[in-house]
Amino acid sequence: WAPVDVESLFWGATHFALAAILTRHLFRVRAIDTTEILQAVALYIVVAIAFANTYSIVLWNFPDAIAYPSAVPGRAPSLSQVLYYSFVTQLTVGYGDMSPQHGLTRILSILQA
């Protein structure tokens, strides 16, 4: 194992904590209005970003864990590529241009979808 990517770990934990706070608030709301709808959208986005950070942690140790068209062997995807992969996975669009190649990214992709 390589050293831990502390920045990705920090942001992943931060985004998952924010997602937990938003979820807790949304489930105790009695009436639905514009604020709750915007909070639900924010929660959806924060969860996708949290998973992107989690993928970054996996890619720190296993650079070839996600296959993509412009991949350089042994070099992890850029942040924009990881965010793209996370949102495509969460939206269950599945364009087919990126795919999980490692057990951890496969498990995370299933959990996220």
Side-chain angles (χ1 to χ4, degrees):
W1 287 77
V4 176
D5 180 5
V6 178
E7 185 177 359
S8 292
L9 187 63
F10 169 78
W11 286 114
T14 301
H15 288 108
F16 275 114
L18 180 57
I21 291 166
L22 285 169
T23 301
R24 183 173 177 220
H25 177 73
L26 282 171
F27 281 109
R28 68 181 173 146
V29 170
R30 292 178 286 302
I32 303 294
D33 62 11
T34 307
T35 304
E36 281 71 33
I37 294 170
L38 291 175
Q39 288 174 350
V41 170
L43 173 62
Y44 196 82
I45 292 169
V46 167
V47 167
I49 294 170
F51 269 98
N53 285 308
T54 306
Y55 292 126
S56 292
I57 293 168
V58 172
L59 291 164
W60 182 266
N61 292 296
F62 306 103
D64 298 323
I66 294 176
Y68 56 102
S70 59
V72 176
R75 185 172 176 196
S78 67
L79 177 60
S80 63
Q81 290 169 315
V82 174
L83 281 168
Y84 168 78
Y85 177 78
S86 180
F87 275 95
V88 167
T89 300
Q90 186 159 315
L91 292 167
T92 65
V93 175
Y95 289 126
D97 55 342
M98 296 180 88
S99 63
Q101 298 297 310
H102 189 275
L104 288 173
T105 51
R106 288 180 179 150
I107 290 169
L108 286 171
S109 298
I110 291 168
L111 290 173
Q112 183 177 13

